[in-house]
Amino acid sequence: QVQLVESGGGLVQAGGSLRLSCTASGTIASPNTMGWYRQAPGKQRELVAAITSAGTTNYVDSVKGRFTVSRDNAKNTVYLQMNSLKPEDTAVYYCYLRPYYWDQVNWGQGTQVTVSS
């Protein structure tokens, strides 16, 4: 079993920054992909950013150039640096860990990000 604990959410004004962190513990399969989904009220959940064990990244178009996903493999931690935040970024952000060779996704508890205009 894998446990993912998130931190770093909060309230920020438009144009501000936040950094989310997510640390995995337990039996962690490798290689894997870690990243972040978000879900805003009345909207579908969407993949925001992902990063593989090797460091390959992917982003949804709406955050490219503003968000950066990174990871520390030794600490089993993934980060999401969010700059130039917009009200449209307001959502609950969920981190995840997806093993390459085992079809089971592990989820964090979610952290609220609210961006005021």
Side-chain angles (χ1 to χ4, degrees):
Q1 62 191 60
V2 178
Q3 297 78 230
L4 281 73
V5 178
E6 304 178 32
S7 64
L11 174 64
V12 65
Q13 293 183 329
S17 298
L18 287 172
R19 189 171 86 148
L20 307 183
S21 299
C22 175
T23 298
S25 61
T27 304
I28 301 170
S30 182
N32 59 66
T33 298
M34 297 184 73
W36 302 86
Y37 280 81
R38 68 185 180 187
Q39 187 163 30
K43 299 185 66 177
Q44 298 183 75
R45 187 178 66 177
E46 68 174 350
L47 178 64
V48 179
I51 182 167
T52 69
S53 296
T56 300
T57 59
N58 191 35
Y59 301 91
V60 66
D61 286 346
S62 62
V63 309
K64 288 180 179 177
R66 301 188 297 120
F67 291 10
T68 303
V69 64
S70 61
R71 64 187 289 166
D72 185 333
N73 290 337
K75 297 181 179 179
N76 297 125
T77 298
V78 63
Y79 306 94
L80 186 66
Q81 178 66 47
M82 304 184 293
N83 298 326
S84 302
L85 282 161
K86 303 175 180 180
E88 306 93 275
D89 297 316
T90 296
V92 178
Y93 285 70
Y94 299 90
C95 72
Y96 74 92
L97 185 154
R98 182 190 298 273
Y100 285 9
Y101 307 119
W102 184 21
D103 191 20
Q104 182 177 19
V105 179
N106 303 282
W107 295 97
Q109 80 279 11
T111 185
Q112 176 71 48
V113 172
T114 302
V115 184
S116 62
S117 60

